[in-house]
Amino acid sequence: MGLADASGPRDTQALLSATQAVELRRRDYHMERPLLNQEHLEELGRWGSAPRTRQWRTWLQCSHARARALLLQHLPVLVWLPRYPVRDWLLGDLLSGISVAIMQLPQGLAYALLAGLLPVFGLYSSFYPVFIYFLFGTSRHISVGTFAVMSVMVGSVTESLAPQTLNDSTINETTRDAERVRVASTLSVLVGLFQVGLGLIHFGFLVTYLSEPLVRGYTTAAAVQVFVSQLKYVFGLHLSSHSGPLSLIYTVLEVCRKLPQSKVSTVVTAAVAGVVLLVVKLLNDKLQRQLPMPIPGELLMLIGATGISYGMGLKHIFGVDVVGNISAGLLPPVAPNTQLFSKLVGSAFTIAVVGFAIAISLGKIFALRHGYRVDSNQELVALGLSNLIGGIFQCFPVSCSMSRSLVQESTGGNSQVGFGCGHGCGHALPGEGGLAPPHPLPQQVAGAISSLFILLIIVKLGELFRELPKAVLAAIIIVNLKGMLRQLSDVCSLWKANRADLLIWLVTFAATILLNLDLGLMVSVVFSLLLVVVRTQMPHYSILGQVPDTDIYRDVAEYSEAKEVPGVKVFRSSATVYFANADFYSDALKQRCGVDVDFLISQKKKLLKKREQLKLKQLQKEKKLQKQAASSKGASVSINVNTSLEDMRSNNAEDYKAMQVSPGDKMEDATANGQEDSKAPDGSTLKALGLPQPDFHSLILDLGALSFVDTVCLKSLKNIFHDFREIEVEVYMAACHSPVVSQLEAGHFFDASITKKHLFASVHDAVTFALQHPRPVPDSPVSVTRL
């Protein structure tokens, strides 16, 4: 591009300096390359539609190699386990597995209470799903098992379908507990079916609709739900079962009402346990680098609290509720109760999505930190199989825990290091062979070791914790909520960073608190999607001007040196145009151009219609007078008729002159129209009709933001062409992407009046062409900065 005037080239810095700039009487606007409209660009680049890949043909192929590839993809343990270097990595993974199991034991017991089940079912849920994930999972660091948010969601379902009281009568505890186990295990099977099905059809992308503010707001509200649900164990109260909207509010009110009935011994037990756990966690944080592994505060608390409870007789003397009998051994598999499917399908889908969202979020965090990729679809299948098979063995739905995953990552030895293909097979990524060890392996061995440790406790050691106070488990749960409750500080950070994300966070938090976990998630997802639609309905519209000495065009309201090209308007929207904002786009365009297009068109039509009516009326009168003249006989009658004709013509002369222009004006219009090949007939131009004319002759639509077009967009663009041509403004389009051009062709947008010659490769091409082929705009000389 170049900038020149009559005296020669100008210095760039001089033009950009406002103090040294001078007004040039005439500037030439030109490009050093040929102008490229869409036709020229397609011919020059030999454009053709991209060939369609028929992926379904690959899916239907059947061969030994494909069968083996599918097996290794969905069962990655067969790839990496034979290569496992036992001598090098077993000790580290053994330490990691024991560390995770030490945390898994108290959390499993505690989170079973959240789910409304006996503590032993938390141990079952810490064994079966973890071992299944060891076989099918791809993430090397997440620790699958019981999780507070999942447990409280399960608890809301079990308490609603198997309440503690029915019609103000207390239900037998044994019957109630058995029914809750059936509900929870059936729910786990249904959750697993959803997750496996979505994973097999590659619907892992669904989790992308859960934005980070939504997930953080949801987990914070879930933490509040968990905290409130544990108050009855902290104060030793017996509360009614509440479910549905506002259940949290009802529970808090009931706790406040029954506070005078609290058991002091239970409160003291929970307080002491909570303080001790907080101190241990603070020590772990302070001495993180000095300690080979975190101090197992929760395990020590379980052992100490059980011993103290047994020695002091907390249950019999002080009335502290304890865990009770924990049956030794494993339970046989049980088929799910299919009659409950219709009642559980909504909650199951919600739990399936939330569980997968938490797992894949943590998995991607660790994968990014350690340089490998996680296959989201295989993760969905692995998590679904964990819940499906676990449900058959009477487990409740699980996900993964941040705290246990961090411990597994920090104590995992050498198996943390390395890069992989994301399928859990240990293959190095292309181009990264020098960074990866020969056989980088996932850290799922640690998960398998932790599950075997839990199995040992179930079979032999579980019955030793029968005297464990429930208040201690409640304290463990509440202390572990510290990380999620810290997310309340997101309000301050989002207020400074992004108010729209803050609104999503607040709506998600409020909806989850008031409407419960399942309805809260649905409301928050719908709200976040509607907010996206609303934000596309109100994009940033701008009139673009040329930045001096460049071919760059920017918003004239934001760039003071960007100047509009005289005679040309360049309009841009920051969002794609579709059915939800097409009308707003057209209205903003007419408003920013500074011309009342609709008024000019309506006035033009009225004046043309009035002219046609006057012409028709005149012809009718002349025809009538001619008939009278032909039928009349005698010279006197002929004279009278001629006189009447002259009178009638003179009576309509003033009205008709209002619709006419002078011969000089007609000659100027005819000359201008002849030069421009204007489509407007003589006498129908805005100037001839006495209407104001726009101060620009060309309109350029910068469509670089368009990502797709629909039928409403096509109609709106055609209307824009029609309306502006009615007021003698030619319209051009610029910067369309190839997929958008293909969609315009498929929608039959181009025709005889709108061709690809109206579509240019860039805004600069369109401006240059418009200035070289201007429509006549009186008293508006074409003087533009030249490139």
Side-chain angles (χ1 to χ4, degrees):
M1 310 295 169
L3 193 72
D5 59 9
S7 61
R10 299 284 307 267
D11 182 73
T12 301
Q13 296 296 331
L15 283 178
L16 293 176
S17 175
T19 57
Q20 300 179 9
V22 295
E23 184 68 21
L24 301 180
R25 298 175 63 88
R26 181 175 181 82
R27 299 172 180 175
D28 296 326
Y29 196 93
H30 70 276
M31 300 179 65
E32 295 181 356
R33 62 167 174 81
L35 295 179
L36 292 178
N37 58 32
Q38 187 63 28
E39 287 186 354
H40 297 155
L41 184 61
E42 291 177 3
E43 182 180 355
L44 181 64
R46 296 183 180 180
W47 177 81
S49 58
R52 296 182 179 180
T53 57
R54 303 184 183 274
Q55 187 68 31
W56 57 271
R57 290 185 176 179
T58 307
W59 295 341
L60 297 179
Q61 289 179 356
C62 184
S63 64
H64 179 271
R66 176 158 176 78
R68 184 177 182 275
L70 286 176
L71 178 63
L72 297 181
Q73 178 183 357
H74 293 295
L75 198 61
V77 68
L78 297 178
V79 178
W80 61 263
L81 188 59
R83 305 175 181 178
Y84 185 74
V86 177
R87 292 183 179 180
D88 297 333
W89 290 358
L90 181 60
L91 182 61
D93 287 335
L94 183 63
L95 176 63
S96 175
I98 294 175
S99 303
V100 172
I102 288 173
M103 296 185 64
Q104 188 90 275
L105 172 61
Q107 290 183 4
L109 295 172
Y111 293 157
L113 295 180
L114 276 179
L117 306 175
L118 296 176
V120 68
F121 291 97
L123 297 181
Y124 298 152
S125 300
S126 301
F127 167 63
Y128 290 106
V130 177
F131 193 79
I132 297 301
Y133 185 83
F134 159 73
L135 300 175
F136 295 94
T138 64
S139 177
R140 306 174 193 170
H141 298 94
I142 66 173
S143 174
V144 172
T146 56
F147 183 54
V149 174
M150 299 287 288
S151 299
V152 76
M153 294 179 74
V154 175
S156 65
V157 177
T158 56
E159 290 182 3
S160 63
L161 295 182
Q164 188 166 351
T165 59
L166 185 62
N167 298 328
D168 297 330
S169 61
T170 304
I171 301 176
N172 181 270
E173 288 190 6
T174 304
T175 305
R176 181 205 64 191
D177 292 340
E179 180 62 25
R180 287 184 175 181
V181 170
R182 281 193 292 271
V183 172
S185 60
T186 303
L187 179 64
S188 183
V189 170
L190 200 53
V191 168
L193 288 175
F194 274 124
Q195 291 176 333
V196 172
L198 292 175
L200 291 177
I201 61 177
H202 289 209
F203 262 52
F205 69 88
L206 282 178
V207 74
T208 58
Y209 293 106
L210 304 180
S211 63
E212 182 181 357
L214 188 150
V215 172
R216 294 178 69 87
Y218 185 79
T219 53
T220 306
V224 175
Q225 295 261 14
V226 172
F227 177 81
V228 172
S229 69
Q230 295 307 294
L231 293 179
K232 62 181 179 181
Y233 299 112
V234 171
F235 294 104
L237 302 175
H238 296 282
L239 305 179
S240 303
S241 178
H242 301 285
S243 61
L246 301 180
S247 60
L248 182 72
I249 308 299
Y250 296 144
T251 302
V252 172
L253 294 177
E254 188 175 1
V255 169
C256 295
R257 189 171 60 253
K258 292 186 176 181
L259 271 181
Q261 305 174 16
S262 300
K263 297 178 181 179
V264 178
S265 56
T266 303
V267 175
V268 171
T269 301
V272 172
V275 170
V276 172
L277 286 174
L278 281 176
V279 171
V280 172
K281 286 187 176 293
L282 289 176
L283 287 176
N284 284 332
D285 293 339
K286 294 291 184 181
L287 305 176
Q288 183 178 8
R289 296 184 178 181
Q290 288 76 19
L291 296 174
M293 60 175 290
I295 301 173
E298 294 170 336
L299 180 63
L300 296 177
M301 178 58 63
L302 285 185
I303 297 173
T306 302
I308 294 173
S309 176
Y310 179 78
M312 298 181 61
L314 294 182
K315 177 182 179 182
H316 302 289
I317 299 176
F318 299 98
V320 177
D321 290 335
V322 297
V323 169
N325 184 43
I326 297 179
S327 58
L330 299 174
L331 297 178
V334 177
N337 187 354
T338 55
Q339 295 179 352
L340 293 174
F341 278 8
S342 59
K343 299 179 182 179
L344 299 175
V345 61
S347 300
F349 185 78
T350 303
I351 294 174
V353 173
V354 172
F356 175 63
I358 295 170
I360 198 63
S361 299
L362 289 178
K364 288 185 175 181
I365 289 173
F366 290 122
L368 182 63
R369 183 181 301 174
H370 294 280
Y372 64 93
R373 287 181 293 183
V374 173
D375 186 349
S376 60
N377 293 308
Q378 180 59 25
E379 281 294 293
L380 194 51
V381 171
L383 199 61
L385 288 174
S386 299
N387 285 314
L388 177 61
I389 298 176
I392 296 175
F393 288 93
Q394 303 188 43
C395 302
F396 57 87
V398 298
S399 183
C400 70
S401 167
M402 170 68 85
S403 58
R404 294 197 306 270
S405 300
L406 290 173
V407 170
Q408 181 165 310
E409 178 201 27
S410 61
T411 60
N414 295 326
S415 59
Q416 298 173 14
V417 184
F419 296 79
C421 66
H423 299 294
C425 58
H427 295 158
L429 293 175
E432 296 176 347
L435 299 176
H439 302 293
L441 302 175
Q443 197 172 330
Q444 295 143 8
V445 171
I449 293 174
S450 69
S451 66
L452 294 177
F453 188 81
I454 295 297
L455 175 62
L456 176 64
I457 294 174
I458 294 173
V459 174
K460 294 294 183 181
L461 305 177
E463 57 186 9
L464 299 178
F465 296 101
R466 66 179 64 179
E467 294 296 327
L468 176 64
K470 291 183 178 179
V472 174
L473 295 178
I476 292 174
I477 293 173
I478 292 174
V479 171
N480 282 322
L481 295 177
K482 180 182 64 173
M484 284 189 288
L485 291 177
R486 281 179 176 174
Q487 294 177 160
L488 289 169
S489 62
D490 290 351
V491 175
C492 298
S493 59
L494 289 176
W495 174 264
K496 299 176 182 179
N498 194 309
R499 304 285 175 84
D501 285 346
L502 173 62
L503 186 60
I504 293 175
W505 196 100
L506 293 175
V507 170
T508 301
F509 181 83
T512 306
I513 291 292
L514 298 177
L515 302 178
N516 220 335
L517 292 167
D518 48 358
L519 291 178
L521 181 65
M522 295 174 59
V523 170
S524 58
V525 171
V526 171
F527 176 80
S528 62
L529 294 179
L530 286 178
L531 187 60
V532 172
V533 174
V534 171
R535 294 174 75 175
T536 60
Q537 283 184 314
M538 296 182 294
H540 178 68
Y541 298 110
S542 56
I543 294 294
L544 304 185
Q546 179 198 2
V547 178
D549 197 26
T550 69
D551 60 347
I552 298 173
Y553 295 81
R554 291 293 182 264
D555 187 356
V556 295
E558 297 177 352
Y559 291 78
S560 59
E561 288 298 318
K563 304 299 181 182
E564 289 188 49
V565 179
V568 179
K569 290 284 184 181
V570 183
F571 180 77
R572 187 180 190 276
S573 169
S574 62
T576 191
V577 183
Y578 67 113
F579 68 91
N581 64 358
D583 291 338
F584 296 102
Y585 180 87
S586 301
D587 295 340
L589 170 63
K590 296 174 182 178
Q591 180 182 4
R592 295 300 177 92
C593 287
V595 178
D596 195 340
V597 179
D598 297 331
F599 175 77
L600 285 178
I601 293 176
S602 63
Q603 290 298 313
K604 181 178 179 180
K605 289 181 178 180
K606 287 181 181 179
L607 292 175
L608 290 176
K609 184 177 180 181
K610 185 175 181 181
R611 171 186 289 181
E612 293 298 326
Q613 290 176 348
L614 289 174
K615 286 184 177 181
L616 181 62
K617 185 177 180 181
Q618 180 184 359
L619 290 175
Q620 290 176 350
K621 288 183 178 180
E622 289 180 351
K623 187 176 181 180
K624 183 178 180 181
L625 290 176
Q626 289 176 359
K627 289 182 179 180
Q628 292 178 356
S631 60
S632 61
K633 296 179 180 180
S636 61
V637 176
S638 176
I639 294 173
N640 292 335
V641 170
N642 292 333
T643 304
S644 300
L645 180 60
E646 291 179 0
D647 293 338
M648 291 179 182
R649 289 179 178 175
S650 62
N651 289 336
N652 294 313
E654 294 180 1
D655 293 337
Y656 186 69
K657 284 180 181 179
M659 304 302 299
Q660 301 295 321
V661 294
S662 64
D665 291 339
K666 286 185 178 181
M667 183 63 67
E668 292 176 3
D669 288 344
T671 303
N673 292 339
Q675 294 174 352
E676 191 60 30
D677 295 329
S678 176
K679 297 180 181 179
D682 291 341
S684 63
T685 63
L686 295 178
K687 180 179 179 180
L689 296 174
L691 295 175
Q693 298 174 264
D695 60 351
F696 57 97
H697 54 75
S698 300
L699 171 66
I700 298 172
L701 304 178
D702 182 359
L703 302 182
L706 254 65
S707 57
F708 67 93
V709 293
D710 56 8
T711 54
V712 179
C713 175
L714 293 175
K715 183 178 179 181
S716 297
L717 291 177
K718 282 201 170 188
N719 289 338
I720 289 172
F721 271 83
H722 174 268
D723 292 346
F724 278 88
R725 283 175 173 176
E726 283 288 322
I727 61 171
E728 301 163 19
V729 174
E730 187 54 79
V731 183
Y732 304 98
M733 301 181 297
C736 276
H737 302 294
S738 295
V740 176
V741 177
S742 300
Q743 294 174 28
L744 290 174
E745 288 183 326
H748 305 289
F749 177 77
F750 299 108
D751 52 23
S753 60
I754 306 175
T755 66
K756 289 186 177 180
K757 294 181 179 179
H758 293 87
L759 177 58
F760 289 86
S762 68
V763 173
H764 192 61
D765 290 283
V767 171
T768 304
F769 182 85
L771 291 174
Q772 292 177 359
H773 304 79
R775 281 184 172 238
V777 179
D779 303 327
S780 180
V782 179
S783 58
V784 194
T785 55
R786 186 184 59 170
L787 292 182

